């Protein structure tokens, strides 16, 4: 959002959508390290490390994104973090 703590938007022309930000952290990151054939998107045969989060990142109010919490983290097919509120 490029929103500063006082609420002003710094360089509004550089704001990215949520979808663009998600792509930057997933597909683009894999592409930059020449690993797009094995990770970066959810497809058969690719690594599937993932996180379950407390809110829907794409639809929650923008000011709540900073409060999203990880509830469950899976790396290499193993649960490596489970929030105490998540059932087994």
């Amino acid at each position: 959002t490029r929103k500063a703590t006082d609420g002003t938007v710094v360089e509004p022309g550089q704001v990215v959508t949520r979808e663009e930000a998600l792509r930057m952290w997933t597909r683009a990151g894999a592409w930059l390290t020449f690993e797009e054939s094995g990770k970066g998107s959810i497809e058969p045969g690719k690594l599937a490390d993932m996180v379950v989060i407390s809110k829907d990142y794409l639809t929650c109010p923008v000011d709540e994104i900073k409060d999203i919490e990880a509830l469950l983290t899976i790396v290499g097919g193993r649960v490596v973090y489970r929030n105490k509120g998540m059932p087994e």
Side-chain angles (χ1 to χ4, degrees):
T1 64
R2 306 221 15 112
K3 190 184 292 187
T5 54
D6 66 1
T8 60
V9 177
V10 180
E11 296 294 332
Q14 295 180 0
V15 171
V16 297
T17 67
R18 296 176 199 211
E19 292 86 356
E20 289 169 327
L22 185 58
R23 268 195 244 58
M24 284 189 272
W25 284 99
T26 55
R27 296 182 76 169
W31 181 82
L32 286 169
T33 58
F34 305 101
E35 298 175 289
E36 66 271 21
S37 64
K39 64 183 189 178
S41 59
I42 300 174
E43 298 177 56
K46 289 190 173 184
L47 296 174
D49 298 348
M50 61 179 270
V51 64
V52 177
I53 55 179
S54 60
K55 295 183 182 193
D56 184 342
Y57 164 77
L58 295 175
T59 62
C60 72
V62 71
D63 291 334
E64 293 180 15
I65 292 174
K66 66 182 178 3
D67 300 320
I68 293 176
E69 296 180 40
L71 301 177
L72 184 75
T73 305
I74 300 171
V75 177
R78 293 182 317 117
V79 174
V80 297
Y81 171 77
R82 180 185 311 271
N83 182 290
K84 59 185 169 185
M86 283 292 292
E88 294 213 22

